Amino acid sequence: DKRMLKGLGKKDNKKDKKGKAQPSKGGSSPSASPSGSDASLPVRKVRQIVVMDGNPQHDWCALFDGCKLADGSGLRIVQAAWNKVAVTVYDGKALMSLAPIRESEGKVKEPYTVTVTPDFILIRNQVRGPRPDGDFRNVLWGLMAGHVPAANSLESIYMCLERPIMFAALKGIERRLGHDAFPLISQNYYGNPDNMVISPDLPAIVKVSHAHAGMGKSIVHEQGTWRDLSTILALHNDHCTAEPFITAEYGIRVQKTGPTYRVMKKVYTGSGWKSQFGGADLQEIPLTDTYKRWADECAQLFGGMDIFAIDALHGLDGKDYIIELNDTAIGILASVWEEDSRTIRDMVIGKMDVIYCNAQPQQPQQPQQQQQPQAAGGDADAAVVGETDTTTTTTTSPESTDKSGASDKDKEKSSSKSKKGK
């Protein structure tokens, strides 16, 4: 043992001669920093983003790959569906337990669960579906109680859950701008079936409760059908709205994702009056000043909306009729899904930079619209990637910069595209 100690002492002495730290005369040597690193260096945080998107074909981990915040913080992405999430709030701090479709560290995948303290929520699916088993408002309320930053804002998502509230906000714009500038369709509201005494002008479209994407809607041609419908609604005491049936030449969707505007013309190809079931051909058309004004006005609702779409009809009478506003769970054309999703990603990173890195909010940009090849006819299923489902089932419905945190992969893609264009 003494020989071994002597040998170790000789090796230490040799290291000392090579310039390594020598023991002080007091006798104790300085302690080494963990893993040989400098303990004085700041430890960079990893911020956690939860993406509520139940479509397994949408890989948000890949979209955020290589992105960082302005202070160098890394990003962990956890993607899940609403029916795989539970939220608990402790003294104002939200804690999420979820079974992810995927997460960027690759450690956990459903049916296994992971616990996350979210720094940001990106919501791309509807919180509430047409059936009771698709109602996840309790999760939304928990996120609101935990003051979790989100896109769209949790307040705007909550307000858009019910059709009467959404329509009232649109009515406010119409009253302020005038009907010619914001041509909102007329609508009656019936709080319960007992109030359905005075019918609207027929034929009319009746929309029951909160349902969306063609669900809970019926066309009424005559008084007898109106009375029959009221007796059906009485079974659950549902509220409903009624609006005139418009014989449309085509539909219009004005979509805004961050600074990007898109306008789609929906040409109906089926025999039914519902495009969700009858089929439609979606064609991207130019952004006009009128459509831009519609979008800019709606973007200010409920404290500000970043992702939304306005649905309208162009009637055979040559007039436009705005019928509804769809919020953060809007569908995106399949041909531009990756491009528009990168825009959403950059918007999320920009918001997080403001919240966590004290960055200045980005100034409003000039409208961006890029013409894309139109869908090759047929059903809208081939043209739209649906975001409205509350589970992993998909339904159909009609610029990266250095500061935004775009990854090197996206920069290489945009560079190669520009070279080809030249």
Side-chain angles (χ1 to χ4, degrees):
D1 292 342
K2 289 182 179 179
R3 291 175 186 173
M4 289 176 66
L5 290 172
K6 285 183 179 180
L8 288 172
K10 290 180 180 179
K11 287 181 182 178
D12 291 340
N13 289 336
K14 288 180 181 178
K15 288 181 181 178
D16 294 341
K17 291 177 182 178
K18 288 181 180 179
K20 295 291 183 181
Q22 298 180 8
S24 63
K25 290 184 180 180
S28 62
S29 62
S31 58
S33 60
S35 305
S37 61
D38 188 347
S40 63
L41 291 176
V43 179
R44 289 180 176 174
K45 294 181 178 179
V46 175
R47 296 290 182 181
Q48 304 196 89
I49 301 175
V50 175
V51 181
M52 302 306 304
D53 187 344
N55 190 334
Q57 296 180 349
H58 297 169
D59 191 346
W60 287 94
C61 294
L63 282 169
F64 277 91
D65 185 33
C67 297
K68 295 181 179 180
L69 298 188
D71 64 356
S73 296
L75 299 175
R76 182 193 184 193
I77 312 301
V78 183
Q79 179 180 342
W82 284 105
N83 62 339
K84 302 293 184 181
V85 177
V87 176
T88 309
V89 180
Y90 296 98
D91 194 25
K93 191 73 172 179
L95 197 65
M96 302 181 73
S97 176
L98 43 82
I101 293 174
R102 61 176 59 87
E103 56 97 17
S104 54
E105 294 180 355
K107 296 178 180 179
V108 184
K109 190 175 182 180
E110 62 176 325
Y112 301 103
T113 60
V114 62
T115 300
V116 175
T117 302
D119 293 300
F120 200 93
I121 301 284
L122 171 60
I123 297 179
R124 296 293 295 123
N125 285 163
Q126 284 284 1
V127 177
R128 189 184 185 190
R131 295 185 298 272
D133 61 354
D135 185 355
F136 304 103
R137 287 176 295 171
N138 57 337
V139 178
L140 176 65
W141 297 332
L143 296 174
M144 295 176 74
H147 293 273
V148 181
N152 286 346
S153 71
L154 299 178
E155 290 78 10
S156 71
I157 293 171
Y158 177 78
M159 296 298 283
C160 287
L161 284 176
E162 296 291 349
R163 184 176 290 108
I165 298 175
M166 173 271 293
F167 196 85
L170 297 179
K171 195 68 178 178
I173 297 176
E174 182 196 36
R175 288 177 175 175
R176 179 164 46 83
L177 300 182
H179 182 76
D180 291 340
F182 197 81
L184 185 65
I185 197 169
S186 63
Q187 185 182 94
N188 294 348
Y189 170 77
Y190 301 91
N192 61 64
D194 295 337
N195 301 138
M196 296 174 66
V197 178
I198 302 175
S199 67
D201 293 335
L202 301 178
I205 302 299
V206 177
K207 301 178 180 179
V208 181
S209 189
H210 66 280
H212 50 82
M215 305 298 290
K217 300 176 184 178
S218 178
I219 185 170
V220 177
H221 290 280
E222 45 87 23
Q223 286 291 336
T225 307
W226 173 259
R227 289 192 296 270
D228 289 344
L229 182 60
S230 68
T231 64
I232 295 173
L233 298 185
L235 296 177
H236 299 285
N237 200 34
D238 286 319
H239 68 267
C240 71
T241 60
E243 55 198 48
F245 175 75
I246 305 298
T247 304
E249 181 181 350
Y250 56 85
I252 302 166
R253 166 161 283 204
V254 183
Q255 176 179 300
K256 191 171 187 295
T257 52
T260 302
Y261 299 73
R262 293 191 189 277
V263 183
M264 273 75 75
K265 178 180 179 181
K266 184 187 292 186
V267 180
Y268 304 109
T269 58
S271 57
W273 64 272
K274 293 183 182 181
S275 63
Q276 289 87 355
F277 307 116
D281 176 25
L282 295 177
Q283 306 166 7
E284 190 165 2
I285 61 176
L287 174 71
T288 65
D289 291 341
T290 298
Y291 296 150
K292 182 181 181 299
R293 190 177 189 187
W294 292 0
D296 291 342
E297 289 292 337
C298 290
Q300 301 175 47
L301 294 177
F302 309 125
M305 299 176 67
D306 302 297
I307 308 168
F308 64 89
I310 304 163
D311 283 341
L313 298 173
H314 183 78
L316 292 178
D317 57 4
K319 298 179 181 179
D320 290 335
Y321 300 85
I322 297 173
I323 57 175
E324 66 181 357
L325 173 69
N326 299 279
D327 68 334
T328 186
I330 59 170
I332 295 176
L333 285 170
S335 59
V336 296
W337 183 88
E338 187 171 350
E339 178 183 350
D340 284 2
S341 295
R342 285 200 299 269
T343 299
I344 294 172
R345 174 205 63 189
D346 295 343
M347 179 192 68
V348 168
I349 293 174
K351 287 180 174 294
M352 294 183 71
D353 281 340
V354 173
I355 297 169
Y356 298 109
C357 307
N358 297 320
Q360 293 296 319
Q362 295 181 358
Q363 296 298 319
Q365 302 180 22
Q366 292 297 318
Q368 300 177 18
Q369 186 196 33
Q370 297 181 2
Q371 286 288 347
Q372 300 292 334
Q374 69 183 48
D379 196 288
D381 291 2
V384 178
V385 179
E387 309 288 352
T388 59
D389 219 7
T390 54
T391 64
T392 56
T393 305
T394 304
T395 62
T396 57
S397 62
E399 348 63 52
S400 303
T401 63
D402 292 342
K403 292 181 180 179
S404 68
S407 64
D408 293 336
K409 292 181 180 179
D410 290 333
K411 295 173 189 173
E412 291 172 4
K413 285 182 182 179
S414 61
S415 176
S416 63
K417 284 182 181 178
S418 64
K419 289 178 181 177
K420 289 180 182 179
K422 293 178 183 177

